Amino acid sequence: MALLLAACSAPADIRDSRFIMGTLVEFTVAGADEAASTVAITAAANEMQRIENAFTIYGNQNNSVKRFNRSQVGASVQLPEEISTLLATALTIKRESNGAFDPALGRLNRLWGFSLPEAPTSPPSSRAIEQAMPPATCIEKRNSGWARLHETCMLDFGAIAKGYAIDRGIEILRNHGIANAIINAGGDIRLIGSHGDQPWRIGIRHPRNRGEVIQSLELQGDVAVVTSGDYERFYIFKDKRYHHILDPKSGWPANTAQSVTVIAKSAMQADAWSTALFISEGHPDISRNLNIRLLIVNNRGEITKNTL
Ligand code: ADP
Ligand code: MG
């Protein structure tokens, strides 16, 4: 009887979801009052929506990133502190990943068109790709702001902003007194605390078998788990798969991996590094000195690294 009462008095999980950043974002809060959780989730979701609006280069709404991308080559442009900070982080990761992660591929990403409302069904011409490729040094910090160094240099935070938004969402939940929660943005996750007296349980998707999990994890505390894969935004053209993660050196979709999962402290770092290592799967030495855990499925579907 006492056991039954204990089970009944444990509050149920509070769940809610929103469509943000082109994906279903699911919020789960454990061990908290329902009304307080609902208020916290709404505030977190609003913050994540604000971040999407501030960073997106798609849609009709104007923002500082779009204004920067239209700015005169060589001119110094002031960016809001939040954008300036994420840009500086992104450029550090570009350097650390030997250019695999590149936040200045906006022109090239737009040409491939995977984030456009009308998704393409065939690749652009080699000539168009060459013309959209930015030079290695593209964005420069000036005393008073940032400058584009070439007409092809356009910011695109698509591989890091979702992680940043998840981190901010968690921060907002915490500010509302929530200690146990998961934010899951289409498989990109950060979790805090635990699920009652159990760890949180999450599954990492199999890159080819829909609905199948390639690995389950039990995690608690404060952890981010982010996957970059070639199976979500892609098309097959003449028996070949074309997807949305581009190798900045070739201008074509990276072809060494099917999926790369990264566990890190922040979702922002995990997001950027899962994209970076998706491109440089052939150079695992890049990740040697990073404080991250990894699961790499190579282009033949073999697990070539697993430190999860
Ligand atoms: P997802 O958005 O599916 O979670 P990623 O985090 O890997 O996947 O981000 C992919 C997005 O990042 C692309 O849609 C594009 O906007 C942008 N992108 C593509 N290639 C690169 C790259 N090499 N470096 C940085 N951003 C990239
Ligand atoms: Mg990413």
Side-chain angles (χ1 to χ4, degrees):
M1 190 60 197
L3 229 148
L4 201 68
L5 277 177
C8 290
S9 62
D13 291 352
I14 315 297
R15 294 167 187 278
D16 204 351
S17 58
R18 299 286 173 81
F19 197 78
I20 317 171
M21 302 173 298
T23 194
L24 191 71
V25 181
E26 295 172 291
F27 300 84
T28 307
V29 171
D33 167 70
E34 180 169 1
S37 302
T38 305
V39 169
I41 289 172
T42 301
N46 290 346
E47 170 69 353
M48 292 174 75
Q49 183 62 61
R50 181 194 67 75
I51 292 168
E52 175 181 4
N53 298 345
F55 283 92
T56 186
I57 56 167
Y58 298 97
N60 300 323
Q61 259 187 57
N62 210 353
N63 64 25
S64 301
V65 178
K66 289 180 187 174
R67 271 192 293 277
F68 179 81
N69 285 347
R70 286 195 302 264
S71 68
Q72 211 189 326
V73 169
S76 175
V77 177
Q78 285 272 355
L79 289 173
E81 187 172 336
E82 180 180 45
I83 292 168
S84 187
T85 303
L86 199 67
L87 176 54
T89 302
L91 290 174
T92 301
I93 297 171
K94 174 176 174 168
R95 190 160 31 80
E96 289 173 347
S97 68
N98 296 331
F101 175 91
D102 190 343
L105 295 182
R107 183 67 153 278
L108 191 64
N109 289 326
R110 209 168 235 289
L111 174 70
W112 278 94
F114 287 99
S115 298
L116 294 171
E118 289 267 341
T121 52
S122 63
S125 70
S126 305
R127 192 180 148 74
I129 291 170
E130 255 163 57
Q131 287 172 346
M133 277 177 60
T137 309
C138 220
I139 309 283
E140 196 174 73
K141 180 96 183 81
R142 300 274 168 85
N143 285 336
S144 54
W146 296 87
R148 303 162 65 212
L149 300 184
H150 190 263
E151 204 52 62
T152 52
C153 302
M154 292 189 175
L155 296 177
D156 177 347
F157 291 94
I160 189 171
K162 199 198 288 174
Y164 171 65
I166 293 170
D167 288 336
R168 285 289 303 147
I170 288 289
E171 205 174 320
I172 299 283
L173 292 181
R174 276 191 168 139
N175 292 345
H176 281 76
I178 303 295
N180 306 292
I182 292 196
I183 298 180
N184 180 352
D188 294 354
I189 290 166
R190 181 157 160 193
L191 59 87
I192 52 171
S194 59
H195 193 207
D197 50 14
Q198 301 286 318
W200 289 105
R201 222 167 191 286
I202 62 166
I204 295 165
R205 277 183 220 162
H206 191 289
R208 287 294 176 271
N209 307 346
R210 251 193 185 284
E212 226 177 82
V213 160
I214 196 164
Q215 190 165 335
S216 306
L217 296 170
E218 294 198 336
L219 298 165
Q220 57 190 333
D222 185 355
V223 195
V225 186
V226 176
T227 301
S228 283
D230 67 357
Y231 50 88
E232 238 160 51
R233 276 185 278 162
F234 73 97
Y235 54 81
I236 306 282
F237 178 73
K238 294 189 176 165
D239 291 335
K240 213 171 131 51
R241 181 183 291 253
Y242 295 87
H243 62 85
H244 70 311
I245 303 171
L246 305 177
D247 183 343
K249 299 221 160 64
S250 70
W252 290 76
N255 56 16
T256 53
Q258 292 179 354
S259 78
V260 174
T261 302
V262 168
I263 297 188
K265 195 86 185 109
S266 78
M268 177 185 74
Q269 289 287 334
D271 191 4
W273 279 105
S274 66
T275 304
L277 293 166
F278 187 98
I279 289 144
S280 31
E281 194 267 332
H283 314 278
D285 49 303
I286 290 176
S287 65
R288 201 184 296 149
N289 298 320
L290 296 167
N291 195 15
I292 59 178
R293 293 194 275 154
L294 273 176
L295 173 70
I296 296 178
V297 181
N298 75 5
N299 58 10
R300 291 188 301 278
E302 303 153 346
I303 294 178
T304 50
K305 193 172 184 103
N306 190 353
T307 56
L308 296 188

